[in-house]
Amino acid sequence: MEKKVAFYTLGCKLNFSETSTIARSFKNEGFLQVDFTEWADIYVINTCSVTENADKRFKTIVKKAQKINPEAFLIAVGCYAQLKPEELAAVHGVDLVLGATEKFKITDYLNDLSKNDFGTIHACEIEEADFYVGSYSIGDRTRAFLKVQDGCDYKCTYCTIPLARGISRSDTLQNVLTNAAEIAAQGIKEIVLTGVNIGDYGKGEFGNKKHEHTFFELVRALEEVKGIERLRISSIEQNLLKDETIDFVSASSRFVPHFHIPLQSGSNELLKKMRRRYLRELYQERVARIKEKMPHACIGVDVIVGFPGETEEHFLETYHYLNNLDISYLHVFTYSERENTVAATLPETIPMKLRQKRSKMLRGLSVKKRRAFYESQLGSRRTVLFESENKEGYIYGFTENYVKVRSPWDPSLSNTLQLVALRKIDEEGLVRFDFVTEEIMA
């Protein structure tokens, strides 16, 4: 009888792309993939370690799987599995823990699916994670996450990613283009480029630090892939987002006017403590350049609150800086101490209640910013890519510049691009529209 496998992914787009690749390796071995809420022989949990919360959620997900099938074989992979393999192996019900390089050879470890009292660990030293495994995810057949780069050479004081994923390394340009063509062949309309530090693309492509290709060359080459309607750059460091890339996107028929650029703090003093590779003035320049070339562009910002030594003045400096910046939304992270990071050893820790209060203030600012951005787009014509899920009688979609819209459910709209006129913001804070023409692209 066909064995069944189910997957659960925590964390970032990169994890989703890698889960999909791991799932394909199971299919190649004759496994049937089922939803995580269904009975399966094997449950694979792809972990994240960016926040404290992700660590705790792991145990909850293990319990969910055990409720469905107490005899199931449970496997943990991903960043948390690399950083804290013993901790995960000790969680009741976990049978196998695979680190950064081993997760892509997962089916090689499935000789014996009998339950263990303590999970077996296969995790290399992170220095050995120096080769590249390409991957992409296909979720709802509307958009795909295409991994182009992995690892990071930056030494930000709060971050465990280099410890969990190793050095910066990239896929070959040819392999990225091959994966993009495979995605296009499946009728998917949008590709989101993903990685740990995608602006560093090209480094380590041939097992060294030499850039064989640059991120800009990657962008230029992807523009030529037939069959993909939209290309979206996910998070990119401001010091690696060059004028040439911004200018190219502004004139592109495929790359969309949407950038997500981590800031982390609006205080230069804290940026230096975080060992970020820029000051706030550069961030302002990047935003100004984007808005000059693409006034309708959507700009998202990552920001951390409660970093050690963040005084009320530092926080207000960040708040006012963001309030005055022409951005569209924020991803707010409440700082949490991570083992083996420099920041965890710094004095002047901020009480958790104060961190949460500051986080709430910035999340409120984000709501205000998103609303103002949506209002600025009312009356304009945009192209919406509709998703394929019926959510309580509505179909949802995103414009090229990341305005979220909704409309009464109509299955014929699924995975189509439609030209619309943005009309009003509804009670849910989403945008309603009128169709301008019939479907403009199949």
Side-chain angles (χ1 to χ4, degrees):
M1 203 175 96
E2 211 172 19
K3 286 205 179 296
K4 294 178 179 177
V5 62
F7 299 88
Y8 197 103
T9 306
L10 290 159
C12 62
K13 295 182 177 82
L14 183 55
N15 271 6
F16 279 94
S17 76
E18 290 181 344
T19 299
S20 285
T21 298
I22 292 165
R24 286 193 284 278
S25 70
F26 272 94
K27 281 180 186 166
N28 293 340
E29 296 290 328
F31 281 81
L32 174 69
Q33 186 178 343
V34 297
D35 192 80
F36 202 83
T37 56
E38 296 176 42
W39 191 97
D41 298 281
I42 298 174
Y43 292 92
V44 180
I45 304 167
N46 194 352
T47 63
C48 167
S49 69
V50 170
T51 64
E52 204 68 57
N53 199 26
D55 295 2
K56 289 170 186 160
R57 282 185 64 198
F58 174 75
K59 289 177 183 171
T60 311
I61 296 151
V62 168
K63 281 179 186 160
K64 269 184 192 167
Q66 285 180 303
K67 261 188 186 169
I68 303 164
N69 179 8
E71 295 306 308
F73 194 78
L74 260 65
I75 306 173
V77 300
C79 291
Y80 191 24
Q82 176 65 38
L83 287 172
K84 302 277 186 71
E86 289 84 7
E87 233 173 75
L88 290 195
V91 172
H92 178 68
V94 174
D95 300 293
L96 180 62
V97 178
L98 299 178
T101 62
E102 291 77 11
K103 64 190 172 192
F104 295 112
K105 301 175 285 192
I106 190 166
T107 54
D108 296 351
Y109 296 97
L110 301 180
N111 304 327
D112 178 12
L113 295 184
S114 53
K115 297 290 289 176
N116 302 306
D117 290 336
F118 193 86
T120 308
I121 296 169
H122 295 279
C124 67
E125 291 301 314
I126 198 60
E127 290 74 25
E128 293 167 37
D130 58 359
F131 61 90
Y132 185 85
V133 178
S135 52
Y136 60 85
S137 80
I138 292 165
D140 59 3
R141 291 190 57 76
T142 305
R143 68 177 59 83
F145 301 127
L146 173 58
K147 174 183 166 186
V148 299
Q149 183 274 343
D150 200 351
C152 189
D153 293 339
Y154 287 10
K155 299 286 186 284
C156 301
T157 55
Y158 52 81
C159 187
T160 57
I161 297 287
L163 301 173
R165 285 189 169 269
I167 58 170
S168 179
R169 54 208 189 275
S170 311
D171 207 346
T172 62
L173 184 59
Q174 190 48 58
N175 201 44
V176 172
L177 297 176
T178 300
N179 283 343
E182 280 178 22
I183 292 166
Q186 297 183 55
I188 286 161
K189 301 284 194 289
E190 181 177 310
I191 286 178
V192 182
L193 302 183
T194 185
V196 174
N197 188 358
I198 63 172
D200 208 23
Y201 174 79
K203 190 185 278 187
E205 215 176 318
F206 295 90
N208 55 37
K209 288 299 169 200
K210 181 166 153 275
H211 275 73
E212 193 68 21
H213 294 97
T214 63
F215 181 69
F216 179 54
E217 286 172 325
L218 172 74
V219 164
R220 254 191 342 206
L222 281 166
E223 174 89 355
E224 302 304 317
V225 176
K226 301 283 181 282
I228 291 294
E229 304 291 348
R230 282 184 178 179
L231 288 148
R232 199 178 292 275
I233 297 169
S234 67
S235 187
I236 183 166
E237 293 285 329
Q238 57 188 282
N239 52 307
L240 298 173
L241 177 58
K242 310 289 189 199
D243 285 352
E244 59 186 6
T245 303
I246 294 170
D247 296 354
F248 185 84
V249 169
S250 73
S252 168
S253 58
R254 291 197 169 131
F255 276 90
V256 295
H258 174 207
F259 297 87
H260 192 93
I261 314 168
L263 169 69
Q264 311 311 9
S265 176
S267 157
N268 281 341
E269 194 182 326
L270 285 187
L271 289 173
K272 287 173 188 171
K273 265 190 165 182
M274 292 174 172
R275 289 193 198 151
R276 298 295 285 160
R277 297 191 176 198
Y278 54 83
L279 296 174
R280 57 187 251 159
E281 289 74 17
L282 177 67
Y283 200 93
Q284 250 163 307
E285 278 174 33
R286 298 296 78 203
V287 170
R289 178 82 180 198
I290 291 166
K291 286 295 188 176
E292 177 200 334
K293 296 284 175 179
M294 296 164 272
H296 60 299
C298 178
I299 302 174
V301 185
D302 286 342
V303 62
I304 294 170
V305 293
F307 188 78
E310 182 186 67
T311 62
E312 195 67 18
E313 288 73 28
H314 289 138
F315 173 70
L316 290 173
E317 194 180 355
T318 296
Y319 187 94
H320 294 309
Y321 176 80
L322 289 166
N323 193 30
N324 293 326
L325 212 52
D326 194 358
I327 53 165
S328 316
Y329 64 91
L330 305 171
H331 280 174
V332 184
F333 296 89
T334 305
Y335 172 76
S336 61
E337 285 77 5
R338 317 306 287 153
E339 266 181 51
N340 301 316
T341 59
V342 174
T345 66
L346 293 176
E348 300 175 84
T349 56
I350 309 303
M352 192 49 78
K353 271 193 173 168
L354 190 51
R355 294 184 211 183
Q356 287 163 349
K357 180 189 163 197
R358 289 173 182 175
S359 178
K360 193 176 176 184
M361 280 178 72
L362 282 184
R363 286 200 305 272
L365 179 61
S366 180
V367 170
K368 187 180 115 179
K369 284 285 186 185
R370 194 186 296 269
R371 176 96 189 185
F373 176 64
Y374 281 9
E375 282 174 355
S376 77
Q377 296 305 300
L378 297 181
S380 66
R381 290 182 171 195
R382 299 281 173 237
T383 306
V384 172
L385 173 57
F386 285 96
E387 294 174 348
S388 47
E389 203 180 333
N390 181 345
K391 292 180 182 169
E392 297 177 355
Y394 286 94
I395 189 167
Y396 292 79
F398 285 93
T399 64
E400 61 273 39
N401 61 339
Y402 214 54
V403 173
K404 191 173 185 180
V405 305
R406 70 171 182 159
S407 183
W409 171 249
D410 177 353
S412 71
L413 294 175
S414 290
N415 197 32
T416 66
L417 285 156
Q418 304 282 344
L419 188 62
V420 305
L422 303 179
R423 288 290 172 235
K424 64 172 187 177
I425 299 173
D426 69 15
E427 67 284 357
E428 295 284 320
L430 303 178
V431 177
R432 298 302 185 95
F433 57 86
D434 296 329
F435 289 103
V436 174
T437 61
E438 291 302 305
E439 182 185 329
I440 58 166
M441 294 161 200

